[in-house]
Amino acid sequence: MGEPEEAIALKIIIIGMIVIFLLSLSVIMFFILYQRRLLAQQQKHQKIESDYQKELLKTSIASQEEERSRIAKELHDDVGAMLTTTKLYFGQITPELPPDELENIAHKTSSFLDDMIHSIRSISQDLRPVVLEKLGLIEAVESLRQTINDSGKIKVSVKNNTTKTIVKSKELNLYRIIQELITNTLKHADASAIQIKLKNEEDSLIIVYKDNGKGLQQKNLLHKKGLGLKNIESRLSILSGNIYFMKEDSGMKVKIVIPV
Ligand SMILES: Nc1ncnc2c1ncn2[C@@H]1O[C@H](COP(=O)(O)OP(=O)(O)OP(=O)(O)O)[C@@H](O)[C@H]1O
Ligand SMILES: [Mg+2]
């Protein structure tokens, strides 16, 4: 005679329960491990994000400092130097001075004062472009185009197909981004033409910038040495926008997308 049926049933129940217990345990373990991994991943992402934010903040502080020292230098070298010279000329004025020399001094100091007025105008124009303030981004870019075309070194074309107005508060950042892209082309690209296209797509403003120079090398993108590209990123992060470096056979092409 084998075991009684109840004993077998009991065994089956116990084994069944153990199996169920082990199964639930492994499900729980799996769940805990999964949660942990998820959390670790989230923390990693957060760290990357916060490192990136810190880097942007550092860049923005550094570029503010650079901007200040540039203005200080311009004030010192341009305006300061001219004022010093003008003062020297004024020091030469004495009651005994013959009229023709007096006239000569008056002529020279007047021309120094003209230069100073010009310098101060260009410094303040640079700090806060008047066209931008008065007529908006498109006109400001247009004026930038004219200034550069007049220099005769490179041909800039601007195509504006925007249909929506750009929020005033975003204009200065966009202008600075375009300015930096142009400066980079002038500085690094050895290009003969620049194309800037502006348009709206759905709820975005799209700026496509292209030059026909030697092109941006991947290593320059990865190890950004200068402040320029970092600045563009930090301005875009303020605008919640993005920049895409497009693959091109020759020259450099970027696409900037900003929500409007
Ligand atoms: N239009 C371009 N064509 C070719 N190379 C470019 C172009 N724009 C940028 N680069 C390269 O990318 C690098 C990084 O540009 P970025 O503007 O960040 O720095 P920079 O212009 O060297 O210095 P800064 O902007 O601080 O004066 C440049 O040094 C240059 O080598
Ligand atoms: Mg630059």
Side-chain angles (χ1 to χ4, degrees):
M1 274 265 302
E3 286 176 74
E5 266 179 33
E6 287 111 77
I8 295 173
L10 198 66
K11 252 189 195 167
I12 290 172
I13 287 170
I14 288 172
I15 290 171
M17 276 169 81
I18 289 173
V19 169
I20 288 171
F21 175 74
L22 284 176
L23 265 176
S24 358
L25 196 69
S26 56
V27 167
I28 290 169
M29 288 293 284
F30 172 78
F31 194 68
I32 289 173
L33 282 177
Y34 177 74
Q35 283 284 325
R36 269 214 193 140
R37 184 180 275 187
L38 209 68
L39 200 71
Q41 237 165 23
Q42 268 171 359
Q43 277 168 346
K44 204 168 135 195
H45 275 143
Q46 269 167 3
K47 186 164 169 359
I48 292 172
E49 181 70 14
S50 95
D51 284 353
Y52 177 67
Q53 292 299 338
K54 266 190 218 150
E55 179 68 16
L56 284 186
L57 189 66
K58 247 181 20 204
T59 315
S60 112
I61 293 169
S63 69
Q64 271 178 26
E65 283 306 324
E66 189 176 284
E67 179 83 349
R68 278 184 201 162
S69 63
R70 191 181 61 78
I71 296 161
K73 188 168 167 287
E74 259 173 57
L75 279 175
H76 175 267
D77 294 359
D78 270 17
V79 185
M82 277 187 268
L83 277 171
T84 311
T85 327
T86 315
K87 190 178 170 214
L88 260 167
Y89 275 93
F90 273 121
Q92 286 174 9
I93 300 174
T94 55
E96 303 86 49
L97 207 69
D100 56 335
E101 269 193 44
L102 195 65
E103 198 180 320
N104 185 25
I105 289 176
H107 183 73
K108 279 201 172 133
T109 46
S110 164
S111 113
F112 275 132
L113 288 174
D114 277 344
D115 286 351
M116 259 183 279
I117 292 168
H118 181 81
S119 270
I120 289 179
R121 190 179 290 150
S122 92
I123 293 170
S124 69
Q125 164 73 17
D126 208 32
L127 279 177
R128 190 111 200 143
V130 180
V131 235
L132 189 66
E133 207 103 304
K134 287 202 180 139
L135 301 170
L137 180 74
I138 306 292
E139 286 301 318
V141 174
E142 187 55 35
S143 140
L144 209 56
R145 178 188 77 84
Q146 263 169 26
T147 317
I148 295 164
N149 277 353
D150 287 348
S151 78
K153 284 190 195 116
I154 192 164
K155 184 154 170 24
V156 186
S157 72
V158 178
K159 206 180 224 168
N160 170 37
N161 287 326
T162 50
T163 46
K164 292 178 186 157
T165 45
I166 301 157
V167 187
K168 201 109 206 104
S169 60
K170 295 186 174 177
E171 285 186 328
L172 186 63
N173 274 324
L174 288 170
Y175 181 76
R176 293 289 186 226
I177 291 172
I178 294 174
Q179 218 176 14
E180 172 61 24
L181 289 172
I182 294 177
T183 309
N184 273 353
T185 299
L186 296 177
K187 252 167 65 177
H188 310 292
D190 218 356
S192 63
I194 295 174
Q195 245 181 40
I196 305 169
K197 285 185 191 161
L198 300 108
K199 62 181 173 187
N200 288 113
E201 255 171 34
E202 286 158 20
D203 287 333
S204 300
L205 168 71
I206 317 267
I207 302 172
V208 178
Y209 179 97
K210 210 171 128 180
D211 72 33
N212 66 348
K214 48 182 141 175
L216 197 71
Q217 262 145 40
Q218 197 63 26
K219 68 170 197 294
N220 287 328
L221 269 185
L222 292 176
H223 319 281
K224 296 165 198 135
K225 282 179 235 108
L227 278 180
L229 292 179
K230 282 192 206 144
N231 261 338
I232 290 180
E233 275 180 15
S234 101
R235 288 188 192 277
L236 281 171
S237 107
I238 296 170
L239 299 170
S240 324
N242 279 307
I243 185 163
Y244 304 97
F245 292 86
M246 323 279 270
K247 263 215 149 39
E248 283 290 283
D249 289 338
S250 67
M252 187 207 64
K253 185 174 175 184
V254 293
K255 184 175 171 185
I256 290 169
V257 183
I258 306 112
V260 287

